[in-house]
Amino acid sequence: MDMNDRALRDIVVSLGGPANGYPREDGFDIVVASEVMAIFCLATSLEDLKERLGNIIVAYNRDKQPIRARDLDADGAMTVLLKDAFQPNLVQTLEHTPAFVHGGPFANIAHGCNTVVATKAALKLADYVVTEAGFGADLGAEKFIDIKCRKSGLRPSAAVIVATIRALKYHGGADLKTITEEDLGALEKGIVNLRRHIENVRDVYGVPVIVSINNFTSDTQGEVDLLRRLVTDAGAQVVLATHWADGGAGTEDLARAVVELCEQPSEVTFVYPDEASLWEKIEAIATRVYRADEVTASSKVRTQLRELQDMGYGHLPVCIAKTQYSFSTDAALRGAPTGHSLDVREVRLSAGAEFVVVVCGDIMTMPGLPKVPAAQKIDLVDGAVVGLF
Amino acid sequence: MDMNDRALRDIVVSLGGPANGYPREDGFDIVVASEVMAIFCLATSLEDLKERLGNIIVAYNRDKQPIRARDLDADGAMTVLLKDAFQPNLVQTLEHTPAFVHGGPFANIAHGCNTVVATKAALKLADYVVTEAGFGADLGAEKFIDIKCRKSGLRPSAAVIVATIRALKYHGGADLKTITEEDLGALEKGIVNLRRHIENVRDVYGVPVIVSINNFTSDTQGEVDLLRRLVTDAGAQVVLATHWADGGAGTEDLARAVVELCEQPSEVTFVYPDEASLWEKIEAIATRVYRADEVTASSKVRTQLRELQDMGYGHLPVCIAKTQYSFSTDAALRGAPTGHSLDVREVRLSAGAEFVVVVCGDIMTMPGLPKVPAAQKIDLVDGAVVGLF
Amino acid sequence: MDMNDRALRDIVVSLGGPANGYPREDGFDIVVASEVMAIFCLATSLEDLKERLGNIIVAYNRDKQPIRARDLDADGAMTVLLKDAFQPNLVQTLEHTPAFVHGGPFANIAHGCNTVVATKAALKLADYVVTEAGFGADLGAEKFIDIKCRKSGLRPSAAVIVATIRALKYHGGADLKTITEEDLGALEKGIVNLRRHIENVRDVYGVPVIVSINNFTSDTQGEVDLLRRLVTDAGAQVVLATHWADGGAGTEDLARAVVELCEQPSEVTFVYPDEASLWEKIEAIATRVYRADEVTASSKVRTQLRELQDMGYGHLPVCIAKTQYSFSTDAALRGAPTGHSLDVREVRLSAGAEFVVVVCGDIMTMPGLPKVPAAQKIDLVDGAVVGLF
Amino acid sequence: MDMNDRALRDIVVSLGGPANGYPREDGFDIVVASEVMAIFCLATSLEDLKERLGNIIVAYNRDKQPIRARDLDADGAMTVLLKDAFQPNLVQTLEHTPAFVHGGPFANIAHGCNTVVATKAALKLADYVVTEAGFGADLGAEKFIDIKCRKSGLRPSAAVIVATIRALKYHGGADLKTITEEDLGALEKGIVNLRRHIENVRDVYGVPVIVSINNFTSDTQGEVDLLRRLVTDAGAQVVLATHWADGGAGTEDLARAVVELCEQPSEVTFVYPDEASLWEKIEAIATRVYRADEVTASSKVRTQLRELQDMGYGHLPVCIAKTQYSFSTDAALRGAPTGHSLDVREVRLSAGAEFVVVVCGDIMTMPGLPKVPAAQKIDLVDGAVVGLF
């Protein structure tokens, strides 16, 4: 359903008598939060898509055995529905550069990368392909490596970490209300956050890295200079990008630097091997990427993980759902926290997407809308649509 | 929402805490049952569409004053959403005859006719335009005349009543299980139903009428001969149509007869004048078309009607929602019942569509699905979609 | 549950996951609206009580066969719960007259009379026993005769119809706001209501009748005189009762008149015989007591009645649930309406109470509370409870 | 409501239209889990009871300011309802020893001790008063000291820890299925659990302690001897009690030992002082009593605690709700775990009971019923109730 209404997050359906079915608690998620979107992005062919859709577990019977979409004969029809959507759709930028916009799973509950088929198609058509991994490099990039690359055989030649001065000042303790004012102290303090992302991408994932500063008009020259120095000190190249103002010309420096970086030999390494247990996989990400001291979980969650292991899902990668505002699960812990623990609240098997979602904090699968609906401004004036932007 | 699930008919939403809004009872209707569809079909321009959408009453405040879509600034965005759909879409039959398929409101809760703009566009493009009014001539045709024609200025030159021998046998008391067996007695008894439809269209609505027999293979020659005689006795011309088997050639006779009929002078008359009260309008339809003795209603319903009258909605036409299986509200009363009463259960103002829905029996605004979902048979086999039909 | 909250009328329970059961729509009724209360009042012994409780239909299985309280082994425990309550509890008036207050079912959804065991116990202990039948003589008295007397063998020797001048003025068209002002015209017009009650009790139920005027301070002498004359004209004796002010002394005249009346020979007759069909029983009450012209019902209701007849419940009495404000189902129809129809909306089998409830209008089985909760005034002041009255 | 049905734990009420109120999510708790029960047990007079009932926070307005029972004028009526129940009710044992059974709050969500007024009344009437604190000495006894004693001024002279050999074997790793077989190894291992309880009561709460072995028939002489030795090694006196078999005679030894123990000088000390912050109070219990390493909590919980502190509730004691099966929050961690962390999931202010409930794990406030309802066996046979036990 192409609709977004927080009122539908948590509902009771099939009321009004037996003609409407048996009452049950239910809820709507938006498309990007669904396992179908994750599958769509990881499937390598229509056959693989159908196979994975059929594997989705939709319920458990009274004997606690999974009931899959296939058991309801739904996999065929679902594949038919997605058949045309599965072809990567080619669009172009305002400067006529071709691009695929194809698939977009959340980077918390899912793996946050576009489709495997689009990336592979692009690689056949162009010398250099740029793709995006959602949220911070602890979330999107980790999942890009450990889930998308692992499963598809894709290997990136280089990585661009996009940083903003205001975000780094925030991580250095600056107040959001005064974030646009020059604050060299906060910037210097906040650099620890970026430094860790650089280390993770370069040393943990094994991908050559460059930092692109997404330059805002409120950034002062003093801040830009300081940031350049700090990133250089951290051992990474840094380039200022002004594409938001100058279009393609604003990223020419960056493009050249990336092309050069791609020549550098590299070897992508996963955060954990396939044969590690689910618990070990969580621990590897927690300690190596998030720099937590430990992973904690209730007996119930530990039992669930053990059961998944016993059911033969131990070889799957894990997909950690946590806040994008901190390396820890506490959105208020800025900078580069250490010594924290990663508490696993819940575990969910995505049997079709072929990963185990590890929920570490609140996740929202049906976002709210702004307080003032965008619809209020949209109108038809003299036959022309106004108010869309 | 382009979806149909009986589980959504009657739901409780906004559960799960204040972040999800205030809990309330709600439900989904299918598009064709919505007031938006009725408006879409009656609007004469994009301006009129926006005006009517803005008039939709979505709630009442604590002072029982209506809150309209316009009060929520939703009319502009709704119009934008429907802007392209509002252009009549031209399709063609297998024999390349052009046709508009545009809009389809239910013929019980709404008025059951396609859009005014499509009909008017067709009239500019062709010598003869055929349009359909859903359900029996007591429902669709009455609403076509009293709502669509009254509001748009359209006036039909002739009417075709489509009859089937099996339906007439059913109205004559035949059992559904043996309905395909020859039963001249039941046919002769059931003719009263068709006779009343003929009288209604010709004498009450003032439209020249012809009967087209939608010929089935199970119809015997004896039955066809009898029906011809009975219809002729009823003072109407009758033509056999076999378009289901022979395509356009199968309705050539019918077409010729209709062209001839259109030459006949006629004067369309409404079942009730605008200035009659809402109650008088209901009574007029009940007694003149359904041939009921009286209209009954609880004090609550009578009060509602009086309030609508006081609020200035007395000039609107009424749109009666009742079963299509009988002239009465009792689906089991076949033939041409008289002496019955029309009990009004509920009254709903469609302030945007500009009619008052008068509910006389159960109406279903979110149909169920078959016991075995069609999806079970749909599949993708060697890249081809199978199982759609 | 000894609690009354409109919020509990219509609820969804067993939410929150399988540990809480399967979600379903449910609701609370107050005790007096429950079938248990009706059973309690009609049972003649603890054995009969258990038998009837066991007969209660609590659900239907998938084959639409009834599931009874007995099938859940609940009848024993229910009987144990009611064992002590089943002993008629003797109280006394302020003047030390003994009285049983024992059982109180609603007079719409149930039969509105106290327990059979209390009435029988009283008859063994006293020369004269007075009992009450709730609401008007068309509801409570009809059910007293047709349900309680029919089933228990009890036969009243005389009936007292309690009338108030203000109620009769209301039935004569007076406005509620000026009801306390003298209005001889309205009183004279409203007498038709009382006259019909007198006729029903005396001629239809066959019980010698006397009218007691429940005298208010706002009644004028002119009104009292007029009422006396009008009742006498109607062929009934009339006595003024002032017990609300004078205690027992205020009804001495009435008591003497009743004792005299009891000497009069009489033969109680039921409104319908056991062997009439359920439909005929409804018709008998509708036409003989309510003076309706006809009974109407949807096919669905007619089918239900036929099924109950087929299942062997045709011999049960019917218990009509309708408004107490009119002889008709329309609360606004005052006086003594004729020519109306009784529309049956719904039929419910009370298999334990052994009657068929025939719902003709809205019935409320969980009353609301006053806008200002009585609790607000209740308090403990210096150890004493205040604000109870 | 004196009723227990898991279907009522989690419900949606006020459905069915505005006459039934505004829909909301709600639920029933059993009486012992309500704040009213906690208040009832801590109140020192009817005035204090009314004051505390009035303090209960029932909702928050849109400005997030608390709405109290007093604001709804409910405190007076609530006090009146409890007025008679507030008198300690005297019962007697089979051997005619007087006892008060008065109040019973849960020992997780509430403080788990009987009423202050009953304990004080008993102290005026007897030389020695024995009272009980629910669940383990880490839960009930801690709350008895830190909540009931702190607030009421009561100070115990001695404490009896009741131990069973089977529970200790369970804590030593024994399987529940073979728990009745002699297992000296498990007993020896499990003693750490009892030893910690002894230390807590004696050294942390400062109360002279004795251990009473609740002797089962399955306990072997070897086990009893071993337990005696192990407890003695732990520095505490130990007595075998057989009251379950021998009545009062079976605890004579224990009684003599307790009387002696009461002569010993002692000074009850609280686990934390009033002036510690709420967080410090939780930490004190976690580290001193549960022997956890640390307390963890989400930012949301920490913020809530800070807000409560700011609102002036920092001086209240805390009431920790956790499992009774372990010193930790993980029911599976037997024995005497150390190094664990206490994770605070939720914080609730009991403004009337005057403590802050700190939820550390799942708590159940409406218990389920057995799979086979007890009601199935209850019956009335020849006028006698059977099947109650």
Side-chain angles (χ1 to χ4, degrees):
Chain A
M1 185 174 72
D2 193 13
M3 182 175 165
N4 181 354
D5 189 341
R6 61 183 189 143
L8 294 174
R9 279 180 196 150
D10 200 345
I11 66 179
V12 176
V13 303
S14 286
L15 302 174
N20 296 347
Y22 295 97
R24 67 174 192 274
E25 290 176 273
D26 214 318
F28 283 82
D29 291 338
I30 55 166
V31 168
V32 298
S34 75
E35 188 178 347
V36 172
M37 177 59 95
I39 288 171
F40 182 82
C41 290
L42 289 169
T44 54
S45 66
L46 282 169
E47 289 68 35
D48 184 40
L49 179 67
K50 183 177 162 188
E51 177 68 20
R52 286 165 176 269
L53 291 170
N55 283 340
I56 295 177
I57 296 173
V58 294
Y60 287 84
N61 64 18
R62 295 205 178 199
D63 297 330
K64 305 211 172 150
Q65 295 306 303
I67 296 170
R68 295 169 192 275
R70 186 180 300 110
D71 300 327
L72 306 181
D73 292 327
D75 50 342
M78 291 173 83
T79 309
V80 168
L81 270 178
L82 294 171
K83 183 178 78 83
D84 296 332
F86 195 62
Q87 307 303 326
N89 57 326
L90 189 65
V91 299
Q92 56 183 331
T93 69
L94 288 174
E95 294 173 344
H96 309 302
T97 311
F100 287 125
V101 177
H102 200 225
F106 266 9
N108 48 24
I109 185 87
H111 65 288
C113 315
N114 78 329
T115 66
V116 166
V117 292
T119 307
K120 289 198 166 170
L123 282 166
K124 298 225 165 159
L125 298 168
D127 296 327
Y128 293 89
V129 173
V130 179
T131 188
E132 195 206 357
F135 292 157
D138 54 331
L139 283 170
E142 188 273 317
K143 290 164 182 176
F144 175 76
I145 297 293
D146 278 324
I147 299 178
K148 184 172 175 181
C149 290
R150 183 192 302 262
K151 297 214 169 183
S152 63
L154 294 165
R155 294 294 179 271
S157 304
V160 180
I161 296 180
V162 178
T164 67
I165 283 169
R166 64 170 68 182
L168 291 172
K169 289 193 288 188
Y170 172 76
H171 275 292
D175 193 304
L176 273 180
K177 287 177 210 125
T178 55
I179 203 80
T180 54
E181 298 170 13
E182 183 174 86
D183 186 345
L184 299 176
L187 180 56
E188 185 143 20
K189 272 187 70 186
I191 194 69
V192 292
N193 185 273
L194 178 56
R195 193 194 303 266
R196 184 178 289 175
H197 281 304
I198 294 169
E199 289 168 14
N200 280 346
V201 174
R202 188 184 56 201
D203 305 335
V204 182
Y205 313 154
V207 184
V209 74
I210 188 170
V211 172
S212 160
I213 302 178
N214 203 350
N215 193 211
F216 280 70
T217 49
S218 63
D219 300 347
T220 68
Q221 190 58 42
E223 288 176 330
V224 171
D225 292 344
L226 176 60
L227 180 55
R228 276 184 187 280
R229 186 167 57 72
L230 293 169
V231 175
T232 310
D233 289 357
Q237 201 181 335
V238 59
V239 186
L240 210 70
T242 58
H243 49 290
W244 66 270
D246 305 324
T251 51
E252 277 181 18
D253 286 353
L254 177 61
R256 266 183 229 105
V258 168
V259 165
E260 216 167 279
L261 200 65
C262 287
E263 299 311 308
Q264 201 175 304
S266 72
E267 194 175 355
V268 172
T269 50
F270 302 130
V271 178
Y272 49 82
D274 281 5
E275 52 282 6
S277 71
L278 293 170
W279 185 261
E280 288 164 350
K281 287 168 180 167
I282 301 169
E283 275 187 333
I285 297 171
T287 55
R288 300 189 63 200
V289 179
Y290 308 156
R291 314 289 170 94
D293 266 12
E294 56 166 1
V295 178
T296 57
S298 66
S299 317
K300 195 176 143 198
V301 164
R302 287 168 192 266
T303 304
Q304 279 182 308
L305 282 168
R306 215 173 304 124
E307 284 170 358
L308 288 175
Q309 198 81 32
D310 293 347
M311 287 161 71
Y313 294 111
H315 68 288
L316 295 184
V318 296
C319 177
I320 297 189
K322 73 158 186 60
T323 178
Q324 68 264 38
Y325 297 114
S326 171
F327 279 105
S328 76
T329 54
D330 183 348
L333 267 186
R334 314 184 199 177
T338 54
H340 51 99
S341 37
L342 182 79
D343 188 58
V344 179
R345 279 203 350 201
E346 193 189 332
V347 168
R348 299 183 197 169
L349 172 63
S350 285
E354 297 183 355
F355 50 63
V356 173
V357 179
V358 176
V359 181
C360 304
D362 290 321
I363 47 165
M364 181 71 77
T365 52
M366 169 65 102
L369 291 165
K371 284 206 177 165
V372 177
Q376 283 198 2
K377 293 190 214 130
I378 299 173
D379 203 354
L380 193 70
V381 175
D382 298 331
V385 177
V386 300
L388 281 184
F389 304 103
Chain B
M1 187 175 72
D2 194 13
M3 184 177 165
N4 181 355
D5 188 340
R6 61 183 189 144
L8 294 173
R9 279 178 195 149
D10 200 344
I11 65 179
V12 176
V13 302
S14 286
L15 301 176
N20 296 347
Y22 295 98
R24 68 173 193 275
E25 290 177 275
D26 214 318
F28 283 82
D29 291 339
I30 55 167
V31 168
V32 297
S34 74
E35 188 178 348
V36 172
M37 177 59 95
I39 288 171
F40 181 83
C41 289
L42 289 170
T44 53
S45 65
L46 282 170
E47 289 68 37
D48 184 39
L49 179 67
K50 183 176 163 188
E51 176 67 21
R52 286 165 176 269
L53 290 171
N55 283 340
I56 295 177
I57 295 172
V58 293
Y60 288 82
N61 64 18
R62 294 202 179 202
D63 298 330
K64 304 211 172 150
Q65 295 306 304
I67 297 171
R68 293 168 194 275
R70 185 180 301 109
D71 300 325
L72 307 180
D73 292 326
D75 50 343
M78 291 173 83
T79 308
V80 168
L81 271 178
L82 294 172
K83 183 178 78 80
D84 296 331
F86 195 64
Q87 307 304 325
N89 58 327
L90 189 66
V91 298
Q92 58 183 330
T93 68
L94 289 174
E95 293 174 343
H96 309 301
T97 311
F100 288 124
V101 176
H102 199 227
F106 265 8
N108 48 23
I109 186 89
H111 65 288
C113 315
N114 78 329
T115 66
V116 166
V117 291
T119 306
K120 288 196 166 170
L123 282 167
K124 299 225 164 157
L125 298 168
D127 296 327
Y128 292 90
V129 172
V130 179
T131 187
E132 196 206 358
F135 293 156
D138 54 331
L139 283 169
E142 187 272 318
K143 290 165 182 177
F144 175 76
I145 297 292
D146 278 323
I147 299 178
K148 185 172 175 181
C149 290
R150 183 192 302 261
K151 296 214 169 181
S152 63
L154 294 165
R155 295 293 179 272
S157 304
V160 179
I161 296 180
V162 178
T164 67
I165 284 170
R166 64 170 67 183
L168 291 173
K169 288 193 290 188
Y170 171 77
H171 275 293
D175 193 305
L176 274 179
K177 285 174 212 133
T178 55
I179 203 82
T180 54
E181 298 170 14
E182 183 173 87
D183 187 345
L184 299 175
L187 180 57
E188 185 143 18
K189 271 186 72 186
I191 195 68
V192 291
N193 185 273
L194 178 57
R195 194 194 304 264
R196 184 179 291 175
H197 281 303
I198 293 169
E199 289 168 13
N200 280 346
V201 175
R202 188 183 57 201
D203 305 336
V204 181
Y205 313 154
V207 184
V209 74
I210 188 171
V211 173
S212 160
I213 304 178
N214 203 349
N215 192 211
F216 279 69
T217 51
S218 63
D219 301 347
T220 68
Q221 190 59 41
E223 289 175 330
V224 172
D225 292 344
L226 177 58
L227 180 54
R228 278 182 186 279
R229 187 169 57 74
L230 292 168
V231 176
T232 311
D233 289 357
Q237 201 182 336
V238 58
V239 185
L240 209 70
T242 59
H243 50 290
W244 67 269
D246 304 325
T251 50
E252 279 182 17
D253 286 352
L254 177 60
R256 266 181 231 108
V258 168
V259 165
E260 216 168 278
L261 200 64
C262 288
E263 299 311 307
Q264 200 176 308
S266 72
E267 193 174 357
V268 172
T269 51
F270 302 129
V271 179
Y272 49 81
D274 282 3
E275 53 280 7
S277 71
L278 293 170
W279 183 261
E280 287 165 349
K281 287 168 180 168
I282 302 168
E283 275 188 334
I285 297 171
T287 56
R288 299 188 63 201
V289 179
Y290 307 156
R291 314 290 170 91
D293 266 11
E294 56 167 359
V295 178
T296 57
S298 67
S299 317
K300 195 176 143 197
V301 164
R302 287 169 192 264
T303 303
Q304 279 183 308
L305 281 168
R306 215 173 303 125
E307 284 170 359
L308 288 176
Q309 197 82 31
D310 293 347
M311 287 161 71
Y313 294 110
H315 68 287
L316 295 183
V318 296
C319 177
I320 297 188
K322 75 160 185 58
T323 177
Q324 68 264 37
Y325 296 115
S326 171
F327 279 105
S328 77
T329 54
D330 183 350
L333 268 186
R334 314 184 198 176
T338 54
H340 51 99
S341 39
L342 182 79
D343 188 58
V344 180
R345 278 203 351 203
E346 194 189 332
V347 167
R348 298 183 198 170
L349 172 62
S350 285
E354 297 183 354
F355 52 64
V356 173
V357 179
V358 176
V359 181
C360 305
D362 291 320
I363 48 167
M364 181 72 77
T365 53
M366 169 66 101
L369 291 166
K371 284 206 177 166
V372 178
Q376 283 198 3
K377 293 190 214 130
I378 299 173
D379 203 355
L380 194 70
V381 176
D382 299 331
V385 177
V386 301
L388 282 183
F389 304 104
Chain C
M1 186 176 71
D2 194 13
M3 184 176 165
N4 181 356
D5 189 339
R6 60 183 190 143
L8 295 173
R9 279 178 195 151
D10 201 344
I11 66 180
V12 176
V13 303
S14 287
L15 301 174
N20 296 347
Y22 296 97
R24 68 174 193 275
E25 290 176 275
D26 214 318
F28 283 82
D29 291 338
I30 54 165
V31 167
V32 296
S34 75
E35 189 178 347
V36 173
M37 176 60 94
I39 288 172
F40 181 83
C41 290
L42 289 170
T44 53
S45 66
L46 282 171
E47 289 69 34
D48 184 40
L49 178 66
K50 183 177 162 188
E51 177 68 20
R52 286 165 175 268
L53 291 171
N55 283 341
I56 295 177
I57 295 173
V58 293
Y60 287 84
N61 65 17
R62 295 202 179 200
D63 299 329
K64 305 213 170 148
Q65 295 305 305
I67 297 171
R68 294 169 193 275
R70 186 181 300 110
D71 299 326
L72 306 181
D73 292 327
D75 51 341
M78 291 174 83
T79 310
V80 168
L81 271 178
L82 293 172
K83 183 179 78 82
D84 295 333
F86 196 62
Q87 306 304 327
N89 58 327
L90 189 64
V91 299
Q92 59 184 330
T93 69
L94 289 175
E95 292 175 342
H96 309 303
T97 311
F100 287 123
V101 177
H102 200 228
F106 265 10
N108 47 23
I109 186 87
H111 65 287
C113 316
N114 77 330
T115 66
V116 165
V117 292
T119 306
K120 288 197 166 170
L123 282 167
K124 297 226 166 158
L125 297 168
D127 295 329
Y128 293 90
V129 172
V130 179
T131 187
E132 196 204 358
F135 292 154
D138 54 332
L139 282 170
E142 188 272 318
K143 291 164 181 176
F144 175 76
I145 296 292
D146 277 322
I147 299 178
K148 183 172 176 179
C149 290
R150 185 191 300 262
K151 296 215 171 181
S152 63
L154 292 165
R155 295 294 179 272
S157 304
V160 178
I161 295 179
V162 178
T164 67
I165 283 169
R166 61 170 69 182
L168 291 173
K169 288 193 289 187
Y170 172 77
H171 275 291
D175 193 306
L176 272 180
K177 287 175 211 128
T178 55
I179 202 81
T180 53
E181 297 169 16
E182 183 173 88
D183 186 346
L184 298 176
L187 180 57
E188 184 142 22
K189 272 186 71 186
I191 194 68
V192 292
N193 185 273
L194 179 56
R195 194 195 302 265
R196 183 178 289 176
H197 282 303
I198 293 169
E199 288 168 16
N200 280 344
V201 174
R202 186 183 58 201
D203 306 335
V204 181
Y205 313 153
V207 184
V209 73
I210 189 170
V211 173
S212 159
I213 302 178
N214 201 350
N215 194 210
F216 279 68
T217 48
S218 64
D219 299 347
T220 68
Q221 190 59 40
E223 289 176 330
V224 171
D225 291 345
L226 176 60
L227 180 56
R228 279 183 185 277
R229 187 167 57 71
L230 293 168
V231 176
T232 310
D233 287 358
Q237 199 182 339
V238 57
V239 184
L240 211 70
T242 58
H243 49 290
W244 65 270
D246 305 324
T251 50
E252 277 182 17
D253 285 353
L254 177 62
R256 265 183 230 106
V258 168
V259 165
E260 215 167 280
L261 199 64
C262 287
E263 298 310 309
Q264 202 174 306
S266 72
E267 192 173 358
V268 172
T269 51
F270 303 129
V271 178
Y272 49 81
D274 281 5
E275 52 283 5
S277 71
L278 293 171
W279 184 261
E280 288 165 348
K281 286 169 181 168
I282 301 169
E283 275 189 333
I285 297 172
T287 54
R288 300 188 63 201
V289 179
Y290 307 157
R291 315 287 170 96
D293 264 13
E294 55 168 358
V295 178
T296 57
S298 67
S299 315
K300 196 178 142 199
V301 164
R302 287 169 192 266
T303 304
Q304 278 183 309
L305 282 167
R306 213 173 305 123
E307 283 170 0
L308 288 176
Q309 198 82 30
D310 292 347
M311 287 162 70
Y313 294 111
H315 68 286
L316 295 184
V318 296
C319 177
I320 296 188
K322 74 158 185 63
T323 178
Q324 68 265 38
Y325 296 114
S326 172
F327 278 106
S328 77
T329 54
D330 183 348
L333 268 187
R334 315 185 197 175
T338 54
H340 50 98
S341 40
L342 182 78
D343 188 57
V344 179
R345 280 204 350 205
E346 191 190 334
V347 168
R348 300 183 196 169
L349 171 64
S350 285
E354 297 182 354
F355 51 64
V356 173
V357 179
V358 176
V359 181
C360 305
D362 291 320
I363 47 166
M364 182 71 78
T365 53
M366 169 65 102
L369 290 165
K371 284 204 178 169
V372 178
Q376 283 199 1
K377 294 193 212 126
I378 299 173
D379 203 355
L380 193 70
V381 176
D382 300 331
V385 178
V386 300
L388 282 184
F389 306 103
Chain D
M1 184 176 71
D2 194 12
M3 183 175 165
N4 181 355
D5 189 340
R6 60 182 189 143
L8 294 174
R9 279 178 195 152
D10 202 344
I11 66 180
V12 176
V13 303
S14 286
L15 301 174
N20 297 347
Y22 295 98
R24 68 174 193 275
E25 289 176 275
D26 214 318
F28 282 81
D29 291 337
I30 54 166
V31 167
V32 296
S34 76
E35 189 178 346
V36 172
M37 176 60 93
I39 288 172
F40 182 82
C41 290
L42 289 170
T44 53
S45 66
L46 282 171
E47 288 70 33
D48 185 40
L49 179 66
K50 183 176 162 188
E51 177 68 18
R52 288 165 174 268
L53 291 171
N55 283 340
I56 295 177
I57 295 172
V58 293
Y60 287 84
N61 64 18
R62 295 202 179 202
D63 298 330
K64 305 213 172 147
Q65 296 305 304
I67 297 171
R68 294 168 193 276
R70 186 181 300 109
D71 300 326
L72 306 181
D73 293 327
D75 51 341
M78 291 173 83
T79 310
V80 168
L81 271 179
L82 293 172
K83 184 177 77 82
D84 296 332
F86 195 63
Q87 307 303 326
N89 58 327
L90 190 65
V91 299
Q92 59 183 329
T93 69
L94 289 175
E95 292 175 343
H96 309 301
T97 311
F100 287 123
V101 177
H102 198 227
F106 266 8
N108 49 23
I109 186 88
H111 65 288
C113 315
N114 78 330
T115 66
V116 166
V117 292
T119 307
K120 289 199 167 170
L123 282 166
K124 298 227 165 159
L125 297 168
D127 296 327
Y128 293 89
V129 172
V130 179
T131 187
E132 196 205 358
F135 292 156
D138 55 331
L139 282 169
E142 188 271 318
K143 290 165 181 176
F144 176 76
I145 296 293
D146 278 322
I147 299 178
K148 183 172 176 179
C149 290
R150 185 191 300 263
K151 297 215 169 182
S152 63
L154 293 165
R155 295 293 179 271
S157 304
V160 179
I161 296 180
V162 178
T164 68
I165 283 170
R166 63 169 69 183
L168 291 173
K169 288 192 290 187
Y170 172 77
H171 274 291
D175 192 305
L176 273 179
K177 286 175 210 129
T178 55
I179 203 80
T180 53
E181 297 170 16
E182 183 174 85
D183 187 345
L184 298 175
L187 181 57
E188 185 142 21
K189 272 187 71 184
I191 194 71
V192 292
N193 184 274
L194 178 57
R195 193 194 304 264
R196 184 177 290 175
H197 281 303
I198 294 169
E199 288 168 14
N200 280 346
V201 174
R202 187 183 58 201
D203 306 335
V204 182
Y205 313 153
V207 183
V209 74
I210 188 170
V211 173
S212 159
I213 303 178
N214 202 350
N215 194 210
F216 279 68
T217 49
S218 64
D219 299 347
T220 68
Q221 190 58 42
E223 288 176 330
V224 171
D225 291 346
L226 176 60
L227 180 56
R228 278 185 185 278
R229 184 166 60 73
L230 292 168
V231 176
T232 311
D233 288 358
Q237 199 181 337
V238 58
V239 184
L240 211 69
T242 59
H243 49 291
W244 65 270
D246 305 324
T251 50
E252 277 182 17
D253 286 352
L254 177 61
R256 266 183 230 106
V258 169
V259 166
E260 216 167 279
L261 199 65
C262 287
E263 298 311 310
Q264 201 175 304
S266 72
E267 191 173 358
V268 173
T269 50
F270 302 129
V271 177
Y272 49 81
D274 282 4
E275 53 281 8
S277 71
L278 293 171
W279 185 262
E280 288 165 349
K281 286 169 182 168
I282 301 170
E283 275 188 334
I285 296 171
T287 54
R288 300 189 63 201
V289 179
Y290 307 156
R291 313 289 169 94
D293 266 12
E294 55 167 0
V295 178
T296 57
S298 67
S299 316
K300 197 176 140 198
V301 163
R302 287 169 193 266
T303 304
Q304 278 183 309
L305 282 167
R306 213 173 307 124
E307 284 170 0
L308 289 176
Q309 199 81 32
D310 293 347
M311 286 162 70
Y313 294 111
H315 68 287
L316 294 185
V318 296
C319 177
I320 296 188
K322 74 158 186 62
T323 178
Q324 68 266 37
Y325 296 114
S326 171
F327 279 105
S328 77
T329 54
D330 183 349
L333 268 187
R334 314 184 197 175
T338 55
H340 50 98
S341 40
L342 182 78
D343 187 57
V344 180
R345 279 203 351 203
E346 192 191 333
V347 168
R348 300 183 197 168
L349 172 63
S350 285
E354 297 182 356
F355 51 65
V356 174
V357 179
V358 177
V359 181
C360 304
D362 291 320
I363 46 167
M364 181 71 77
T365 52
M366 169 65 102
L369 291 166
K371 284 205 178 165
V372 178
Q376 283 198 2
K377 294 193 213 127
I378 299 173
D379 203 356
L380 194 71
V381 175
D382 298 331
V385 177
V386 301
L388 281 184
F389 305 102

